[in-house]
Structures are given as structure tokens and as C-alpha cells.
Amino acid sequence: MAGLDHTTAAIELRERLVFAEAEIPAALQRLTASDNPLLEQAAILSTCNRVELYGAARRRPAEPELASYLALYHGLDAIEVASRLYVFRGYEVAHRLAATAAGMHSSVLGEAQIQGQVRKALELALAAGTAGTELRRLFESRSRPVAASVPAPLLPRGQPAFRARVWSSRAVASEPSVSPLCCSSGLVK
């Protein structure tokens, strides 16, 4: 997984790297092109605050290759993109996506819109034929809570509330013993 967000890149660069929804299928096809694929499976999460490439491949692409892909696709300088890029591999990808889907990496902490954007990234990858079993499991397990919080009607108004959601890791075979947890608190109104 490689990307950049509001913590690593200014809005001007993020705006130039954003993928319009209509562009994503072609961008996914370029990432997975059979003649020389950078990734064998791919999904793109592109929002106003982040552009992230998720993928699976037998050959581990180097950071400069991922930066070059983003830069060349958008007609930018690869060095500028590489200097702002973060890369996660292995278990770190699942943890990053879980935290992102929970809104923990949003400029407005805990915002809920990102869950729909994560689901949309998977839908686009499935439609483009670039999401295989591993990527599908990763996204599905990170964007669908399996244990809900205490129902709001059972909480007294004006009292502190605690909510937690647990993402299932059983669907991701590579980490069966890990269950990311997202917690939040506030007042019931």
C-alpha cells in the first residue's frame, strides 16, 4: 500500500493527484497491465484528503516505482511525489486500512464518510476486475463492523457514551488473531 494524505502532502499536491471516479478503472488497468504489472491486484482509495494504492503482488514493487506510477499518471514530478509518499506492507496494510475506514486518519477525526469511500474503492476494483481474493477480503473485513456498539436508545440523554466497533480479522487469513478496535466517546444528545 502506498499513498499520501493531509499529514504528508499539501492540498495543492493532493488535488493534482486525485483520481476522478471515472478515471479509476483505467488507472487500475494500468497498474495491473499483463505486459508488465506493477501489481497483480489493485484498488485505489482517492478522496479529497488522500490518494492510496492498495495491491497484492508476488514481486514487491519498490517505493520509487509506486511514486513514479502516481506521478506519471498525473503528469507530475516523481521526486515531488516520492518525498510525500508513505508505504505500508504486510500486516501494516490491514491496520492502516482499518484505521482509515474508522476515520482515524481523517482531517476530522472519526468522520463517517470514509467508510463509504472505502467500500466504493472495492466496488470499483471489483468492477474493473483488479480485486482478487486477498484484496477483497482485506477491504471487506476493514469496512464492515461485525460487533456494534450499545444502541443509542438504551443510553440516557446528556450522559457520557462509549462506543466501540470491532472489525473482523477472521476474513483475512494472514492475521487470524488480530481484531482492530475503534473506540470513541462523547455525550448522547
Side-chain angles (χ1 to χ4, degrees), residues 4-14 84:
L4 47 79
D5 65 13
H6 66 282
T7 64
T8 63
I11 185 72
E12 295 80 18
L13 179 59
R14 294 192 322 266
R84 302 292 179 212

Side-chain angles (χ1 to χ4, degrees), residues 69-86:
Y69 170 80
L70 280 171
L72 291 173
Y73 191 90
H74 294 286
L76 301 173
D77 178 50
I79 294 172
E80 179 184 15
V81 173
S83 69
R84 302 292 179 212
L85 203 67
Y86 46 77

Side-chain angles (χ1 to χ4, degrees), residues 12-186:
E12 295 80 18
L13 179 59
R14 294 192 322 266
E15 285 176 344
R16 292 169 36 213
L17 285 169
V18 74
F19 288 89
E21 186 176 320
E23 294 177 312
I24 290 177
L28 290 169
Q29 293 301 320
R30 278 181 61 180
L31 270 170
T32 60
S34 60
D35 55 334
N36 188 21
L38 186 58
L39 299 168
E40 293 168 26
Q41 298 177 41
I44 296 173
L45 177 58
S46 184
T47 73
C48 60
N49 283 319
R50 83 189 74 257
V51 173
E52 295 177 340
L53 306 176
Y54 289 85
R58 286 184 207 104
R59 179 188 71 82
R60 179 181 262 190
E63 285 183 42
E65 290 178 288
L66 297 166
S68 289
Y69 170 80
L70 280 171
L72 291 173
Y73 191 90
H74 294 286
L76 301 173
D77 178 50
I79 294 172
E80 179 184 15
V81 173
S83 69
R84 302 292 179 212
L85 203 67
Y86 46 77
V87 176
F88 295 97
R89 299 185 190 276
Y91 293 127
E92 292 177 329
V93 176
H95 292 281
R96 174 69 186 199
L97 184 56
T100 298
M104 301 306 291
H105 295 293
S106 296
S107 57
V108 177
L109 190 63
E111 62 96 1
Q113 184 180 17
I114 189 64
Q115 290 179 357
Q117 293 165 331
V118 168
R119 281 191 296 277
K120 187 65 172 179
L122 175 60
E123 289 170 11
L124 291 169
L126 287 168
T130 62
T133 302
E134 295 84 3
L135 207 56
R136 184 181 48 78
R137 284 182 180 167
L138 172 71
F139 270 77
E140 287 176 350
S141 69
R142 299 307 178 229
S143 62
R144 185 174 5 140
V146 295
S149 59
V150 176
L154 300 179
L155 298 171
R157 294 197 181 280
Q159 297 298 311
F162 177 79
R163 300 187 134 202
R165 292 186 183 247
V166 179
W167 277 263
S168 170
S169 62
R170 290 182 300 268
V172 181
S174 62
E175 56 171 330
S177 64
V178 178
S179 292
L181 174 67
C182 172
C183 302
S184 64
S185 62

